[in-house]
Amino acid sequence: MTAAPRVRFAPAPTGYLHVGGARTALFNWIFARQTGGALVLRIEDTDLERSREELVDVVLSTLDWLGIDFDEGPYRQSERLEYYDLAVDKLLGDGRAYRCDCTPDDVKARKEQRGDKTPGYDGFCRDRDLPPGPGVAVRFRTPDEGTVAFDDLVRGHVSFECADLVDFVVQRADATPTFLVANAVDDAEMRITHAIRGEDLLNTVPSVLMLMDALGYEHRPTYAHVPLLVDEKRQKLSKRRHSVAVEEYRDGGYLPEAFVNFLCLLGWGPPDGEEIRPIERTIADFRLQDVTKSAAFFDTKKLDHFNGEYIRALEAADFVERCRPFFDRVEWAPSEWPPGPFVQMAPLVQERVVTLAEVPGLVDFLFLDQVPLDEAAWEKAMKHEAAPAILDATIDAYAEGPWEAEHLHRALAEIGERFGLKLGKAQAPVRVAVTGRTVGPPLFESLEVLGREATLDRLRSARERLAGGR
RNA sequence: GCCCCCAUCGUCCAGUGGCCUAGGACGCCGCCCUUUCAAGGCGGUAACACGGGUUCGAAUCCCGUUGGGGGUGCCA
């Protein structure tokens, strides 16, 4: 009987959750849930500049939005410094590490002097036997020969030559530990069985393995390095050029279910080929071994499609509720919730949007006293010679009769016929006069909700504007 | 430079030696539907990087080339 798996998501707090990080978190979570294992959250903040509490809160709330919950933690490496100190002391005591007072500039300068393009530290302080003191870091003494190999669940067998590994720093001059020791100590101490993370960390495995060995840990996690997420140019997503923060998608009106569904399909494909699927089914079918080896382009076009599908699948009342945050942030934010006019229009809006953020813009004309007139739309719709006559006739026809969509529909269709116009053409001036735009939710339903009074007012003022020249 | 990884339609995945004249999804194009815009329906476009092997047979295995990416930090 093997013990239940233990996995971890270990982000460095940067103030936002990177979409790539979100995906590795998701893969860890799915793996934990399907195996009955535990997911631990560990904040890798050994770099003092990064350890700020509010940065951690962002990660926590965003994971929560995604629906990723964890079973242990968050542990903060900044609160576990004593463990790493002990580890470094052991390394020093056993002669597996040594002190070094070379500054990064020194290392770089010597490298340039050597002329060879070989990078990295040259082992300058290996045998200097320096005493502790300010400006002194600690480096691990890597073996000069031999190989380090391991089996990666997605990459297969991977091996490195020790000779290619430089003496890396385990403790900085300010006495803080580096990622490598903290990682080795924590994965071992926390009994992490599977380290599922981004491929950018593949190269750090040999160092960590050597550290675990030197520290006397017998525990070894099974590694699984998932492919990176890249941009259209196949390069690492950059914060400058792309939306890499999950928060941007949340604020952009994406549904967490859609976002998660999309993320699952980057580097993995469902065995039955059904891409739009509840997370439960992915938890049932996901296999780490099936994760692709090649990098995936984070293509938001597909995300958009998924989001639209998920929005349309929402229960009407749920859709209305989910739109609330997006109404809260417009100038004309409704004072009561849910606002009646929107509730009436919601089903019609729901099947037309790609993101929730678009919703207020489709119904603003119902809330604004002044029509949000778009000049280009006006030009386009009113340039038709029959426009004034259509408005006149519509004002006339809408002055009486039942105020319901079907009737309004029929009346305008008849007016159109009089001018030899199809309804599609005839409704244009009316639509722009009343909603300010050429596109929007179905017109007659919109008018019904708006009411006779407001509709006639807007038609009349459009007519006046037309009479006064443009 | 060196080390590591990767390589199927524009994109994301299927494909694990014969079922492949390579399948699905997104995108794109066309048609239908239509009250604008969507949605929906139908159809179409489009790929095994290249060169050698192995084999009766290769998208699938091996080698090489080319291309791409990651690492090469007292970041993680």
Side-chain angles (χ1 to χ4, degrees), chain A residues 222-374:
Chain A
T222 295
Y223 288 94
H225 288 87
V226 305
L228 257 24
L229 257 28
V230 298
D231 64 14
E232 64 285 348
K233 285 155 65 186
R234 304 251 117 219
Q235 291 180 339
K236 217 168 151 181
L237 257 21
S238 91
K239 202 186 177 187
R240 277 195 68 80
R241 306 195 314 275
H242 310 91
S243 295
V244 297
V246 173
E247 295 78 20
E248 291 180 62
Y249 293 89
R250 185 234 285 141
D251 299 343
Y254 288 89
L255 261 31
E257 308 93 300
F259 194 76
V260 161
N261 194 152
F262 172 66
L263 242 29
C264 287
L265 265 21
L266 258 23
W268 179 78
D272 54 20
E274 279 180 49
E275 299 193 321
I276 298 208
R277 49 168 49 218
I279 190 67
E280 292 73 27
R281 287 186 57 200
T282 295
I283 291 174
D285 294 336
F286 182 83
R287 294 291 176 271
L288 263 183
Q289 295 83 342
D290 294 339
V291 172
T292 315
K293 293 174 175 21
S294 51
F297 172 36
F298 187 79
D299 188 1
T300 52
K301 288 230 185 78
K302 193 155 181 171
L303 205 211
D304 283 346
H305 176 259
F306 277 31
N307 206 51
E309 293 274 348
Y310 273 88
I311 285 178
R312 274 171 253 128
L314 253 25
E315 294 287 333
D318 191 17
F319 170 70
V320 168
E321 201 44 44
R322 299 236 204 174
C323 288
R324 186 169 188 167
F326 300 91
F327 277 91
D328 284 344
R329 64 190 197 196
V330 294
E331 330 71 73
W332 47 272
S335 49
E336 285 183 16
W337 192 267
F342 174 53
V343 172
Q344 290 181 68
M345 291 298 292
L348 263 17
V349 171
Q350 185 175 355
E351 58 187 23
R352 292 179 157 69
V353 294
V354 164
T355 67
L356 297 179
E358 299 164 26
V359 174
L362 285 182
V363 295
D364 57 355
F365 68 93
L366 292 171
F367 296 87
L368 265 12
D369 291 331
Q370 196 80 30
V371 183
L373 185 65
D374 176 68

Side-chain angles (χ1 to χ4, degrees), chain A residues 53 64 72 91 102 133 148 212-213 255 261 278 299 445 451 453:
Chain A
E53 201 54 33
D64 183 61
E72 275 181 40
L91 257 19
C102 301
V148 189
M212 285 177 169
D213 184 60
L255 261 31
N261 194 152
D299 188 1
E445 287 76 359
E453 208 63 10

Side-chain angles (χ1 to χ4, degrees), chain A residues 85-124:
Chain A
D85 288 348
L86 246 35
V88 172
D89 286 346
K90 175 170 169 57
L91 257 19
L92 244 16
D94 293 346
R96 303 300 299 268
Y98 58 90
R99 296 192 181 82
C100 168
D101 64 358
C102 301
T103 64
D105 282 345
D106 291 340
V107 175
K108 207 176 145 196
R110 281 203 302 273
K111 178 181 135 191
E112 274 162 22
Q113 208 172 41
R114 282 200 307 273
D116 62 8
K117 303 273 177 73
T118 323
Y121 183 68
D122 56 3
F124 187 78

Side-chain angles (χ1 to χ4, degrees), chain A residues 209-227:
Chain A
L209 255 20
M210 289 190 302
L211 279 174
M212 285 177 169
D213 184 60
L215 291 170
Y217 290 117
E218 278 174 29
H219 180 87
R220 293 285 181 283
T222 295
Y223 288 94
H225 288 87
V226 305

